[in-house]
Structures are given as C-alpha cells and as structure tokens.
Amino acid sequence: MEFACTFVPKLAGASGVQIRLTQQPSRAAWRMKQQAAHFRTFRTSSALSREAPGGAPEKVRGQRKVFDSVDEAVADIKSGSIILSAGFGLCGTAETIIAAMNRRGVENLHSLTAVSNNAGTAIGGGLSPLIASGQVDRAICSFLGNNKALEKKYLNGDIAIELTPQGTLAEKLRCGGAGIPAFFTPTGVNTFIQSGQIPARFKNGEVVEPGKARETRIFDGRVYNMETAIKGDVAVLRAYKVDEDGNCQFRYTTKSFGPLMAKAAKVSIVEAEHIVPTGELKPEDIDLPGVFIDRIVQATADKIIEIKMLRSNEDPEAQGSQDAALARRNRIAKRAAKELKPGFYVNLGVGMPTLAPSFLPPDNKVWIQSENGILGMGPYPTEEELDADIINAGKETVTLVPGASVFDSSESFGMIRGGHIDVSMLGALQVGANGDLANYMIPGKVFKGMGGAMDLVSNPDATKIVVLTDHVDKNGKPKIVQNATLPLTGARVVSTIITDLCVFEVDRKKGELTLTELAPGVELDEVKQKTGAKFHVADNLGRME
C-alpha cells in the first residue's frame, strides 16, 4: 500500500473523531423509512452525518430459527451495528448473507463497523460488496493484502481501519464471547501496536484519527500489552451442516473464525450448506452448539477459491536449474529444512518457508501448523484432491496428512503463544543484529497488515524463530542491519537468519551476529560487503549444503 505521506510524525497533532449518537427510531418508523427507500435517492455530504444508532436486532427465544428468506433474516440489522464476519480470506465467508445485506443499499444499511480477519479481497467476495458500496465505515482486521478498493477508501478517508494482529483478533473475539473484558498478551510489544502509531483514518494525506496506544503491565519480568475484548451486534457465518435448532458442523478450515464470531455476537446468523432435522447431527459432530445461533438461512452462493494451487511433480531443484530466482530460493529453503528435526511441530510463513518441506528426507516426519487452524498440513493438492474448504495461511489450497487436526484461530494462536510450536519460519524486510524483525511495513511504500506474524514471534524463548530472506533487497540494500529502522514485527526475536549467501546465528541477549556458514561459491568478503551489521565469524566456518 502506498501512503501519500509518512504518517508517523503527524500523529502527535492529530485530533480525535467525535461520534454523535441519536435516538433509535421505532420499528414502525424504521419500516416506513425502508419503504420510502424504493422511491427516493439518498444523498449526503458526509458518511458521518447519517443516523446510525446501531444495536442488535431483537432476540426472541423459542421462535423458529430457520428463515425462508435470507432478505428477511437481515431486514432488521441496524445502521451503525458492529458486524462480525467469519471466514479466512474467502474460506468460510457468509457470501449469501453479505449479498443480502448489500441488497438493502447504503441508505437503509450504513455506518457499519465490520470485524473480520481481512475486509474483503482483491478478487471480491467476503466483505468486498459492503466495502465497495460504502456501507462499512470502519473495519477491524489483521490483513489488507492486495485489496486496492479498500486501500483507496482508507487513503481517501472513506473508511477507518484498525489493524489488529490475527491471534490478538481471535482472542479478543473469544474473550468477548466468554464475558472477559480484557487480557494481557506479549503480541505486539515494542511495535506500532503498542505505541498506537498505525493511523486509523486518513483525510487528504493527513492523519485525522491516530491509532490507540496499549496499556502495558509487567508479569514475571516481561512486558505485556492489554487488549480489550470485541463484542458484536450481529455475526454472519457459514457452516457445512446446521440442524433446525442451530447446532453447527464446519468443514476443515471454515472453522477458523466461525465459532468465535458466533459466540461474540448478540445475534448470530448462519448460512448452511445443508439444513438438517434436529437429531441428524451426532453430539460428537457438533462444533458449535445451537445456543450461539439465532437465525438460519440456506446458503445459495457458490464457494470462491481465492488462490488455487496444485501440486507439481517436477523436482524443485530441476526447476531451479532453469530459473535463477527459484534456484536462489531453493538454496535458502534447502538449508532451512535442516532446522526441521523429526517430530517437530513447525509453523511456516508464506513464501520461501513453504518450500522447506520439499527438501526433507522421506523418513523425517514433521508436523506443519498453519495459523488459520491446521496441524498436519500436507502439500498442494492434485486437481482431484482440490477442496475449497482446505486452505493455508496464504489462502492457498492445500491438503491434510493422516493424523491432521483442524481447529479455530484462538486455539491455533494459543499453540503459538503458549510455546507449543518448536520452530516458526518467516520472511523479512529487515533483521537487526539483536534479532529485531521487521516484515510487514515500509512507511510510505508497503503496508498490507501484519496478519499473524506478530503472534508467531511472540514467544521466542520457547519457539525458535528462523528468518528466510534474500541477503539484499531489489535495490541492493542490505536486509541484515545493525539496527532495524523499519517498524518492528517483534523485538529481539530472531535466532537464525538464512539467506542466499550465508547463515547467521543471533545472540539475542548480547545483540550480536555470528556467521556460521557460507553458501557454495560465496566468499567472506562478499558477505561483509553486503551486510549492514557487524558480525563475528565462527572458528569452524562451514558451507551450506
């Protein structure tokens, strides 16, 4: 994402946004207003001038939960509401329900706050229709990606965005549904999340609403950020099977945010691929009890595969012999595979880390975790194995190995923050000599959101953090530097750096680098020339294999 200006220095003088609450209209008046919308055009000079009382629709126990019409099910959602939209990328999104909300139009449904892992995508789907129509005024998400429509609205001041690390977002929702008002987390400490330096809203290149700094507290000698829970008015989600009393069964990675969103909302609407009689779902097959579901509609929208990836039977090294860039990436991935010991539980970030398993010996069983809710991720599928409900953290289609399990995102990030994952591999924009990692933002140039990266590096004493990166950027500037100058993903978190030229081990306490291996054909002088940090050289300097 390209910013019109460097925003950090402007934060101190930014003013807050004032929100005026108005009295909620009666149900009769609301219906008259809805009917009038068919005969006149809505005009406004500012989105903030529209009435948006918010609040949840009426919740009536004992009424029939199955609605014959999706339009009826969303007819009483109020402008100004907080909408919790399930799904990861386009996997598990409530396309049928969102389309019905969009059909109500910006006059009848507007000023929404949407909470979702990502607010729509570059190819549409998910929240994209509501973003494009101007019905969403604020989005709370972890990742923008290549969504140019959202980027434009953000930079023009048409929408506010509160970026939240993915695992923190999941935990905020879990706490919202469990009646826990706040919690402390190591995620985001010593980053712009803690200091509140990521603007929520721009206008004409100026910051008009800064981010919110976090309160901190020390436990056992370590700093933690306080995060507050998220509770919504309405949750919209998609499930595989739903019985007439609202008990839900999800397929594979559609479970990522579905149960969390439903539990955190006052009223939850689920679109079901199959609506079945109560009793058809066995108790052990129910992923979400019916107490959390208020309305059920039939899913009619087709599933959308965001990134279709298929397995290639060609040898990766043979492919690399024909492509210099791939050869360089393979060299890094091949060395990275040596960090994956038999029986390890490993999280692999998008990009080069996903290549590492291709270089594992056949007898080396490694359990690969994907933070959207997989433990036991397999390779890309064949055309016959392709399943829209099985994707990885990069939204790519994947497979599951025998013994794999699937779970929601709060469970997934609990594994990571809790130190149950042995190794986490990520890419980098910059790595400091002390292990500081920056990999999600270049102010003024690049800003797609941190996704789950801040959570992945939140427990570096228990989970070894390995960075895979080219030694220099596309302009020839060193990526390994004495002191990181880009906004941090984590402070003093990296233990090993693997580049196309060499391997560095990091002493995070002393803030020192030691060169331990050189790539084939690379000499020490080249590494010195292309490294922006001081480093020691190991006595037994080896060669990358």
Side-chain angles (χ1 to χ4, degrees), residues 420-483:
H420 305 287
I421 301 300
D422 297 294
V423 176
S424 181
M425 292 186 173
L426 303 93
L429 295 169
Q430 260 186 3
V431 187
N434 63 352
D436 284 354
L437 173 64
N439 76 347
Y440 79 99
M441 179 198 295
I442 301 177
K445 294 183 178 180
V446 176
F447 185 46
K448 295 183 177 181
M450 70 289 293
M454 287 186 179
D455 299 277
L456 292 173
V457 302
S458 63
N459 194 348
D461 292 331
T463 299
K464 183 177 182 180
I465 307 302
V466 179
V467 162
L468 281 60
T469 182
D470 290 327
H471 206 90
V472 298
D473 66 18
K474 62 182 181 181
N475 298 314
K477 294 181 62 176
K479 285 191 167 187
I480 294 86
V481 296
Q482 190 65 35
N483 298 294

Side-chain angles (χ1 to χ4, degrees), residues 347-424:
N347 181 283
L348 303 178
V350 298
M352 275 191 280
T354 61
L355 300 175
S358 301
F359 297 94
L360 288 173
D363 59 345
N364 187 354
K365 186 175 183 179
V366 171
W367 292 94
I368 300 175
Q369 194 244 24
S370 184
E371 62 258 34
N372 60 311
I374 297 175
L375 186 62
M377 184 172 68
Y380 295 133
T382 63
E383 190 70 54
E384 293 72 26
E385 295 171 325
L386 187 69
D387 192 319
D389 292 337
I390 309 177
I391 65 167
N392 64 13
K395 286 84 174 180
E396 301 169 327
T397 50
V398 291
T399 58
L400 304 177
V401 301
S405 56
V406 292
F407 30 83
D408 70 46
S409 287
S410 66
E411 184 82 41
S412 182
F413 283 100
M415 292 179 188
I416 295 164
R417 288 190 308 271
H420 305 287
I421 301 300
D422 297 294
V423 176
S424 181

Side-chain angles (χ1 to χ4, degrees), residues 182-393:
F183 60 94
F184 286 91
T185 176
T187 301
V189 171
N190 293 318
T191 74
F192 278 10
I193 291 295
Q194 178 181 329
S195 59
Q197 288 177 269
I198 302 176
R201 192 187 292 271
F202 285 98
K203 189 66 175 180
N204 299 324
E206 299 290 328
V207 175
V208 295
E209 184 185 349
K212 300 174 184 176
R214 278 19 176 207
E215 179 183 333
T216 61
R217 188 169 173 181
I218 297 174
F219 297 92
D220 298 325
R222 189 178 180 191
V223 178
Y224 289 77
N225 288 339
M226 190 183 82
E227 296 282 355
T228 54
I230 292 177
K231 293 187 286 185
D233 295 310
V234 178
V236 297
L237 58 147
R238 181 176 179 127
Y240 175 53
K241 287 184 179 180
V242 182
D243 70 22
E244 293 171 345
D245 281 303
N247 296 304
C248 299
Q249 181 182 22
F250 297 89
R251 290 190 78 241
Y252 305 120
T253 53
T254 63
K255 192 185 296 186
S256 182
F257 277 95
L260 294 171
M261 298 293 191
K263 293 175 183 179
K266 296 174 184 175
V267 170
S268 296
I269 310 173
V270 62
E271 60 180 69
E273 294 175 37
H274 304 280
I275 300 174
V276 300
T278 298
E280 182 168 319
L281 292 178
K282 296 179 181 179
E284 64 267 28
D285 292 334
I286 294 172
D287 298 310
L288 180 69
V291 65
F292 298 111
I293 295 296
D294 302 284
R295 303 177 183 186
I296 306 162
V297 299
Q298 179 64 52
T300 57
D302 292 334
K303 297 177 184 178
I304 306 172
I305 295 178
E306 190 171 349
I307 304 177
K308 180 180 177 180
M309 295 292 292
L310 297 177
R311 189 182 314 160
S312 171
N313 293 322
E314 189 173 349
D315 180 68
E317 297 209 61
Q319 289 179 305
S321 65
Q322 304 169 16
D323 185 328
L326 182 57
R328 188 174 66 250
R329 289 160 60 87
N330 282 345
R331 182 188 309 161
I332 297 170
K334 187 175 182 179
R335 172 57 183 83
K338 294 184 178 296
E339 301 290 326
L340 310 181
K341 308 302 182 185
F344 268 23
Y345 294 89
V346 179
N347 181 283
L348 303 178
V350 298
M352 275 191 280
T354 61
L355 300 175
S358 301
F359 297 94
L360 288 173
D363 59 345
N364 187 354
K365 186 175 183 179
V366 171
W367 292 94
I368 300 175
Q369 194 244 24
S370 184
E371 62 258 34
N372 60 311
I374 297 175
L375 186 62
M377 184 172 68
Y380 295 133
T382 63
E383 190 70 54
E384 293 72 26
E385 295 171 325
L386 187 69
D387 192 319
D389 292 337
I390 309 177
I391 65 167
N392 64 13

